[in-house]
Amino acid sequence: METVNIKINGMPLTVPKNSTILEAARSAGIDIPTLCYLKEINEIGACRICMVEVKGAKSLVTACVYPVNEGMEVITNSPKVLNARKLTLELILSTHERKCLSCVRSGSCELQKLCYDYKVDDETYFEGEKIHYDIDDSAAHMYRDNNKCILCRRCVAACSKMQGIGVIDANERGFSTHIGCAFEKDLAETSCVSCGQCIVACPTGALSEKDDTQAVWDALHDPNKHVVVHTAPSIRATLGEAFGLPIGTNVKGKMVDALRRLGFDKVFDTDFGADLTIMEEANEFIERVKNGGKLPMITSCSPGWVKFCEHYYPDMLDNLSSCKSPQQMSGAIIKTYYAQKMGIDPKDIVCVSIMPCTAKKFEVKRDFQSAAGVPDVDISLTTRELARMINRAGLLFNELPDEDFDSPLGDSTGAGAIFGATGGVMEAALRTAVETLTGEELKKLDFEEVRGTKDIKEATYQVAGMDVNVAVVSGLANARKLLDDVKAGKKNYHFIEVMACPGGCVNGGGQPTQPASVRNFVDLKAKRAAALYEEDRNMPLRKSHESPVIKTLYSEFLEKPGSHKAHEILHTKYVKRSVY
Amino acid sequence: MANKKCAIPFTGTPEQEEELMRVIHEHKEEKGFLMPILQKAQEIYGYLPEEVLEKIATETGVPMAEIYGVVTFYSQFALNPKGKYKISVCLGTACYVKGSGAVYNRLQQKLGIQGGECTPDGKFSLEACRCIGACGLAPVITVNDDVYGRLEVDDIDDILAKYAE
């Protein structure tokens, strides 16, 4: 690797030739503040908070995009630099709605932290004219509050560059500049897929999930309701972050205990629903292969991806698996099988799901998602909302004991656990499909080729004398590339896994936010996914079809995968949507 | 934010659409193709209707939100057609200090539209303009080629009444 010699704050350093000043400083233990910069997503040098002095340069430069060169001398903390940053913060605050006390991002707001660090405290000094914006609450999953927007455009880049959608952009100019949809439409009128990547990209409280925690409190306090919760595979790998634990800590036991203490009647695991999804999806795949059905079959677990497909690839809806997602399958079984077993009217059950995802809030309201005549899932909360409930209940999360999920719908396999990472659904499905097709036990359960955080992963497996071509893709801009290749006949796959969020659910739009100072330097996706693969490795059962609960469920209730009853309860339909 | 959809129905002809498609295909492989396409589209239609922007978005793959952002950034682009009577209010320095801001506000209020928009019947469009060189008459407005000067806010009703037919 080519290197250059530079000096930062007088300290001699040797750094890679193509690094930016920001990266070089970070490698020497110096944090330069950023607001607009998100590595590889938003590199526009617009907010001017990362200004530093470079010897010989005629003005301050933006460290986030300015490359180092041989002999460069940088000062990151001179009075000139610090004053420039403070002035920038004051200008931002002059139009910012400073309702910080109860703001959803209070404590995790990147602007708030900088204002504290730089002691920007004289409000009378920077009080200025403001434009009042109405909050856009039209979408099922989020609020857009431009009064707290600092125009960093991280959301715009997440939407257009990372997800290939682009339903928001900067409208108008100068003082009137604001982020909005074309023709100032509400978000719900656009082809927004509800992935929530804009929310986790936002440095302030301008974008946030719709908070549905009050509805859960109300249910928990209603003596006539049987309130059941189930938690998605990835939540255990991320919830700890909301309580200051290291990224990638598996907090399954504490999470279960917390949910029980919150008052849920049963604490189940969506991993069970994931196992069930595999039974139905592997069966559907085998049927399609055997009977000349539509191929490639594409997974349908990710509601952001499903809505994207409905808007942008409506001609490929037949390729989508008809399986409901694990969230909905869990809910459907809770309201049918479990309700019957317990002798509870499904109308008296409130099913709450804890999801890494804001699109799940949209999914629970979709048609064809009510197996018992009532919604399969009543309320879908994000990881962030669960953390909020735990805090409000006064639970000292890190001190809680480790508990186990309730039986029977809390029992699952390692195949369910890895659903939370990109490639996990594919691997889990292959474990079951290959054994079903060959009738032989797999010697090696790890399908390494489909693991990891690469944008697009491809593999070919020899199964029962047939070459099965699979692809795994995460992030919708990547999905678009892959699907265009499939449509153009350049690629020939049998089975594709698509996750809307880059890296899969561990990096979902409902996960705890991490500031840019972390996101730019730590691979969140890989660290969080590692916790799930470790859980899988340590499970006694790692194949969905070997789960005793799954076996009992089919023998007592569903008959067999793909049965008429299974179709009524566990499968769904899609609708064509337009882009504009 | 209220939906900013134009109140005037789109009346594009097949000939205009053919011309638009020709322009899109002529430019869409160029670097920075959006500006020339938008400029020529505005020449074809006189303004940039939503239906036209949708066509450009679909044909070029540039998201509509991005196109709308560009269109609202540059003052050369209009999202509304001009009315039968085009009212311009001078907000140049001399007119402004003589109270043209209040005149402009009254016109927006009377016509029920914002600057840059056109009334739903297509009759009046309203815009602000810079100095028209009649500072001695400040504050000044023009309605098509008619010039009205030394205005008071209360003169507006009488002026509009002249164009009632």
Side-chain angles (χ1 to χ4, degrees), chain A residues 299-314:
Chain A
T299 58
S300 57
C301 305
S302 165
W305 147 243
V306 168
K307 191 161 185 271
F308 180 83
C309 188
E310 291 176 327
H311 281 294
Y312 292 92
Y313 294 89

Side-chain angles (χ1 to χ4, degrees), chain A residues 166 170 172-173 183-185 580, chain B residues 2 4 50 63-64 69 72-73:
Chain A
E172 303 192 31
R173 71 189 293 174
F183 291 91
E184 308 296 350
K185 283 183 183 168
Y580 299 118
Chain B
K4 284 271 183 76
E50 185 176 358
M64 181 82 124
T72 55
F73 183 89

Side-chain angles (χ1 to χ4, degrees), chain A residues 6 8 15-27 32 37 39 43 62-69 72 74 521:
Chain A
I6 62 168
I8 297 186
V15 297
K17 193 180 173 199
N18 295 322
S19 36
T20 60
I21 296 175
L22 178 72
E23 289 163 341
R26 179 69 179 225
S27 70
I32 297 171
Y37 177 76
K39 194 177 167 69
E43 302 180 337
T62 47
C64 67
V65 290
Y66 204 90
V68 293
N69 55 50
M72 181 185 259
V74 181
F521 299 99

Side-chain angles (χ1 to χ4, degrees), chain A residues 473-488:
Chain A
V473 62
S474 68
L476 292 171
N478 298 325
R480 196 188 270 275
K481 267 184 242 158
L482 185 90
L483 294 177
D484 287 345
D485 280 353
V486 169
K487 279 179 78 165

Side-chain angles (χ1 to χ4, degrees), chain A residues 33-85:
Chain A
T34 57
L35 279 171
C36 68
Y37 177 76
L38 274 188
K39 194 177 167 69
E40 285 165 12
I41 299 167
N42 201 39
E43 302 180 337
I44 59 175
C47 77
R48 322 309 280 179
I49 203 72
C50 66
M51 298 295 232
V52 293
E53 265 189 87
V54 171
K55 200 173 170 187
K58 63 179 187 294
S59 59
L60 298 178
V61 305
T62 47
C64 67
V65 290
Y66 204 90
V68 293
N69 55 50
E70 184 61 39
M72 181 185 259
E73 290 182 39
V74 181
I75 302 174
T76 69
N77 55 10
S78 66
K80 187 178 175 187
V81 165
L82 299 184
N83 285 335
R85 289 186 193 149

Side-chain angles (χ1 to χ4, degrees), chain A residues 215-267:
Chain A
V216 179
W217 289 116
D218 291 346
L220 290 171
H221 294 142
D222 184 342
N224 299 317
K225 295 290 182 197
H226 183 77
V227 191
V228 178
V229 67
H230 59 94
T231 64
S234 64
I235 312 300
R236 67 210 66 187
T238 58
L239 180 62
E241 290 172 34
F243 302 100
L245 293 174
I247 296 163
T249 309
N250 189 331
V251 295
K252 180 162 87 173
K254 294 187 194 316
M255 173 183 75
V256 171
D257 185 68
L259 290 165
R260 214 162 267 148
R261 290 188 192 212
L262 284 172
F264 288 100
D265 294 298
K266 291 285 176 190
V267 182

Side-chain angles (χ1 to χ4, degrees), chain A residues 127-352:
Chain A
E127 187 62 65
E129 192 186 333
K130 290 189 177 83
I131 297 177
H132 175 77
Y133 295 98
D134 292 335
I135 294 174
D136 181 355
D137 61 356
S138 61
H141 67 296
M142 73 179 288
Y143 299 110
R144 286 187 55 245
D145 182 356
N146 272 341
N147 302 298
K148 293 178 181 168
C149 174
I150 61 166
L151 297 172
C152 69
R153 292 161 171 79
R154 274 156 59 167
C155 57
V156 172
C159 189
S160 61
K161 227 169 141 183
M162 184 196 276
Q163 298 297 56
I165 298 170
V167 291
I168 45 170
D169 213 305
N171 292 347
E172 303 192 31
R173 71 189 293 174
F175 189 67
S176 309
T177 309
H178 59 277
I179 306 300
C181 304
F183 291 91
E184 308 296 350
K185 283 183 183 168
D186 286 336
L187 201 55
E189 296 176 80
T190 70
S191 53
C192 166
V193 304
S194 316
C195 70
Q197 283 300 322
C198 56
I199 303 175
V200 284
C202 183
T204 72
L207 305 178
S208 59
E209 67 285 346
K210 277 224 171 129
D211 188 312
D212 291 313
T213 53
Q214 192 54 48
V216 179
W217 289 116
D218 291 346
L220 290 171
H221 294 142
D222 184 342
N224 299 317
K225 295 290 182 197
H226 183 77
V227 191
V228 178
V229 67
H230 59 94
T231 64
S234 64
I235 312 300
R236 67 210 66 187
T238 58
L239 180 62
E241 290 172 34
F243 302 100
L245 293 174
I247 296 163
T249 309
N250 189 331
V251 295
K252 180 162 87 173
K254 294 187 194 316
M255 173 183 75
V256 171
D257 185 68
L259 290 165
R260 214 162 267 148
R261 290 188 192 212
L262 284 172
F264 288 100
D265 294 298
K266 291 285 176 190
V267 182
F268 291 147
D269 193 351
T270 321
D271 287 20
F272 153 80
D275 278 333
L276 188 55
T277 304
I278 286 306
M279 297 304 292
E280 291 297 318
E281 201 158 343
N283 177 74
E284 183 183 355
F285 177 63
I286 292 167
E287 292 290 321
R288 286 190 190 214
V289 171
K290 279 189 180 160
N291 303 329
K294 188 90 170 170
L295 292 173
M297 187 174 95
I298 313 180
T299 58
S300 57
C301 305
S302 165
W305 147 243
V306 168
K307 191 161 185 271
F308 180 83
C309 188
E310 291 176 327
H311 281 294
Y312 292 92
Y313 294 89
D315 52 335
M316 291 183 82
L317 290 181
D318 289 341
N319 294 78
L320 276 186
S321 161
S322 64
C323 289
K324 287 181 183 174
S325 70
Q327 163 178 267
Q328 297 300 119
M329 283 205 186
S330 294
I333 292 299
I334 287 165
K335 298 264 178 110
T336 57
Y337 174 72
Y338 172 78
Q340 270 178 35
K341 280 210 112 155
M342 299 287 286
I344 307 174
D345 186 335
K347 289 189 190 68
D348 294 329
I349 298 179
V350 176
C351 179
V352 178

